[in-house]
Amino acid sequence: VEGAGVPSKGLTGQAYEGHYFWDMEIYLMPFLTYTDSLIARNLLKFRYGMLDKARDYAKTLNQKGAMFPWRTINGEEASAYYAAGTAQYHINADIIYALKKYVNTTGDTDFLYEFGAEMLIETARLWSDLGFYSERNGKKFYIHSVTGPDEYSAVVNNNAYTNLMARNNLLFAAKTIETVKKRKPNLYKKIVHKTNLDSNDIDAWKYAAIQMFIPYDDDLGIHPQDDVFINKDKWDFVNTPIEKYPLLLNYHPLVIYRHQVIKQADLVLALFLLSSEFSQDEIKRNFEYYDPLTTGDSSLSVCIQSIVAAKVGLMDKAMEYAKHSLFMDLGDIAGNAKDGCHIASMGGTWMLFVFGFAGFSNNGKVASFNPKLPKELEKITFQLTIKKNLIQVEIDQKKAKYSLKKGNGLEISHKGKEYKLSQTNKTKSFKI
C-alpha cells in the first residue's frame, strides 16, 4: 500500500489516535526491510512525502533544513507536550538510519538518489544548524536542549543517543551526496537546484560529524546518557510499590526528571543500533549500568534490553526480557491490550530473535551471524532477503545452518569467518 504509514497500534486499536511515531522506522522497518522490502520502500516514500511540511516545521522552530514531526498523521506535528514530543529531534536521524539500512540490505540506490538524497540534505542541514561548536571544549560539536528516547529525561544537553545518531546521519548524507556528484552529475545538478545546496555544506557536515561530542565518563567507564544524568540521585526503586508504575501516571514529571530513572532504552538502544561505535567491554559496562535504572514503563524497552544482554553473553537476562516482549500482548503484560496491539514491540520481538539470539548484523557487504541461544530455546528458524538473495537460517543448541533458497549468492560471516553461499554451494553448517 502506498501513501500510508504504520501507526503505533496498526489497525488493532484506537490508542494514539492512529498517529505515526519513530516506532515505524526503528522497530518495524527492520522486519519489513528483510522480509518484504517493497513495503519498507513504500514507508520510506511515505516519509519523503512529508518532507515539504518538515521543511516548514523547521522554519517554525527557527531552524534550517527539515524537522520531521515526532507525532503525526499528515506530516504536521501533533504532539501536545513539546518536551516529550518536538524536542525528540532524534526522529530525523531515526528515519535516516532506516533509510541507510534499507539501502544496505536491498542495494536500491535508485531510491536513495531519487528520494533519499533530498531527505539526507535537509536532515543534515538541521543537525548542522541545531548544534554548535563549544569554544571552551576544544571546539567539539554540541547539541543542546533535546530529548532522547528516554522521556524520563527531557530537554537535556548532549544526549548521547542523539549525538551518535546525528553523526551517523551527517556522515551518510555527505557520502551519498559526494557519490551522486561523482556518478550522476546531471542528477546532482537537479538536486543542487532544488535544495539550493552549497558545495561547502558537505564539508560542514563532515566536520560536524568529526567534532561531534560523545559523552564519556572515565571513572565509570560508561557513556553518560546526557550531560547531567549520572550526577542525579538514583530513583528509589526499593521503596516504589508496584502500583506506582508507570511512574509518569503517578509522579509529577519534574520529580522524575530529577532522578536517574529511565522510561525506555536510550543509551542501550544506541549500543544495539550503532554497536560498531563501541567496544565489547564498553557495551557490557554501559548495559550493566543502565539496565537496573530502566523501568518497564515502555513496551519499547525489553526487546532492546534482550538484544544487548545477548550480545554481552547475559543469556538468562536476555531470555527473561525476551519472554516479556513475546507476551506483551499475548499475556497483556501492560494491562492495555484492549487499546490495541503494541506493533513496535512485535517488531522488536522479531529483532530479538534475529539480531539478539542469532547475532545477526549487516553492514551492506557481509551478512554476519554470531549465534547464542538461551538454554530454553531448542531451535530458531527464520528467513532473510538480502540483495535479492533469500537465505534460511536454522540455529539449535549445537549447530547453525545457512541455506541459499533464491538468488545468485551472498557473502556471510559465522563468528568472524567469512564464507560464500552460491548456486554451487547453497548450504553451510557450523558447530556453535
Side-chain angles (χ1 to χ4, degrees):
V1 179
E2 294 188 22
V6 180
S8 60
K9 295 295 184 180
L11 299 177
T12 67
Q14 297 182 3
Y16 297 111
E17 296 83 33
H19 286 93
Y20 311 111
F21 298 81
W22 70 319
D23 306 20
M24 190 163 68
E25 280 79 16
I26 295 299
Y27 289 86
L28 186 60
M29 276 284 288
F31 166 71
L32 295 172
T33 297
Y34 287 104
T35 62
D36 196 328
S37 61
L38 178 59
I39 296 178
R41 189 182 196 274
N42 286 341
L43 292 182
L44 289 169
K45 181 78 174 296
F46 173 70
R47 283 293 194 186
Y48 172 80
M50 296 181 175
L51 187 56
D52 283 340
K53 288 187 178 180
R55 288 185 176 109
D56 292 340
Y57 191 42
K59 292 176 183 176
T60 300
L61 298 173
N62 306 117
Q63 303 290 166
K64 297 177 182 177
M67 177 64 193
F68 283 95
W70 175 248
R71 176 176 182 154
T72 192
I73 288 180
N74 64 354
E76 297 177 0
E77 180 61 78
S79 295
Y81 179 47
Y82 79 92
T86 294
Q88 298 199 54
Y89 287 85
H90 66 85
I91 181 69
N92 268 18
D94 300 331
I95 293 168
I96 296 305
Y97 182 91
L99 170 66
K100 183 178 181 182
K101 288 298 181 182
Y102 167 80
V103 174
N104 280 349
T105 303
T106 64
D108 188 0
T109 54
D110 287 345
F111 182 88
L112 176 63
Y113 300 150
E114 185 177 355
F115 303 106
E118 201 176 334
M119 296 168 71
L120 283 163
I121 289 169
E122 300 295 10
T123 53
R125 276 179 171 156
L126 186 284
W127 292 120
S128 186
D129 185 51
L130 183 65
F132 70 99
Y133 293 96
S134 173
E135 295 293 337
R136 296 182 60 188
N137 293 280
K139 291 191 175 181
K140 284 292 185 180
F141 191 76
Y142 281 19
I143 302 176
H144 283 185
S145 299
V146 302
T147 299
D150 172 30
E151 294 172 359
Y152 284 173
S153 296
V155 192
V156 299
N157 297 339
N158 294 311
N159 170 253
Y161 174 91
T162 300
N163 287 19
L164 284 161
M165 291 289 279
R167 181 167 69 183
N168 184 66
N169 191 158
L170 288 161
L171 290 174
F172 187 43
K175 181 180 178 181
T176 299
I177 302 307
E178 286 178 336
T179 301
V180 172
K181 183 178 181 179
K182 181 178 180 180
R183 297 181 182 176
K184 295 181 175 289
N186 290 334
L187 177 59
Y188 177 75
K189 290 177 182 177
K190 290 181 181 178
I191 291 173
V192 168
H193 177 72
K194 186 173 184 179
T195 64
N196 294 314
L197 181 68
D198 188 296
S199 59
N200 294 324
D201 290 342
I202 300 172
D203 290 335
W205 302 340
K206 289 194 287 187
Y207 188 67
I210 291 169
Q211 293 297 108
M212 185 69 69
F213 175 70
I214 308 299
Y216 187 79
D217 185 270
D218 289 318
D219 293 335
L220 294 174
I222 66 166
H223 293 78
Q225 186 170 292
D226 56 61
D227 279 358
V228 300
F229 185 84
I230 63 174
N231 295 323
K232 298 177 182 178
D233 190 22
K234 290 186 178 180
W235 187 268
D236 185 3
F237 289 98
V238 173
N239 293 308
T240 304
I242 190 69
E243 61 269 18
K244 289 292 187 178
Y245 292 91
L247 300 182
L248 78 165
L249 297 182
N250 293 285
Y251 297 90
H252 194 281
L254 290 174
V255 174
I256 297 173
Y257 295 163
R258 295 186 188 110
H259 292 84
Q260 289 189 54
V261 61
I262 300 170
K263 181 184 177 186
Q264 60 197 55
D266 193 300
L267 192 282
V268 171
L269 178 59
L271 301 179
F272 163 48
L273 297 181
L274 299 171
S275 59
S276 62
E277 303 283 345
F278 306 89
S279 70
Q280 187 71 0
D281 286 342
E282 285 177 335
I283 292 174
K284 192 170 191 294
R285 288 196 301 271
N286 277 295
F287 179 78
E288 290 178 339
Y289 185 88
Y290 289 106
D291 189 60
L293 302 174
T294 306
T295 66
D297 290 355
S298 169
S299 63
L300 303 181
S301 272
V302 283
C303 54
I304 304 303
Q305 291 167 286
S306 177
I307 293 168
V308 180
K311 188 172 183 62
V312 298
L314 300 173
M315 301 312 297
D316 287 344
K317 188 173 284 289
M319 190 61 192
E320 175 189 344
Y321 286 135
K323 290 177 182 177
H324 194 126
S325 182
L326 182 63
F327 289 101
M328 185 67 66
D329 291 313
L330 293 175
D332 195 14
I333 286 178
N336 57 5
K338 66 181 185 302
D339 299 321
C341 295
H342 297 78
I343 302 300
S345 183
M346 290 179 173
T349 301
W350 180 87
M351 288 198 294
L352 72 86
F353 283 101
V354 175
F355 296 103
F357 298 151
F360 173 63
S361 63
N362 175 30
N363 62 8
K365 297 178 182 179
V366 179
S368 300
F369 298 88
N370 186 22
K372 299 175 186 175
L373 250 57
K375 59 182 181 295
E376 295 92 338
L377 285 181
E378 293 182 7
K379 183 178 182 179
I380 60 173
T381 301
F382 57 89
Q383 293 185 337
L384 303 170
T385 300
I386 304 172
K387 293 184 177 177
K388 298 182 179 180
N389 293 284
L390 176 65
I391 64 169
Q392 181 165 300
V393 180
E394 301 171 75
I395 300 169
D396 59 32
Q397 292 289 341
K398 295 182 178 180
K399 67 180 184 303
K401 179 181 177 183
Y402 309 101
S403 305
L404 180 67
K405 295 298 183 180
K406 293 180 183 178
N408 295 322
L410 181 70
E411 295 284 345
I412 67 166
S413 169
H414 175 82
K415 292 193 170 182
K417 293 186 178 180
E418 294 185 11
Y419 306 89
K420 177 72 179 287
L421 294 177
S422 65
Q423 285 292 331
T424 56
N425 197 353
K426 291 187 175 183
T427 302
K428 294 281 187 183
S429 294
F430 307 93
K431 291 182 178 179
I432 296 295

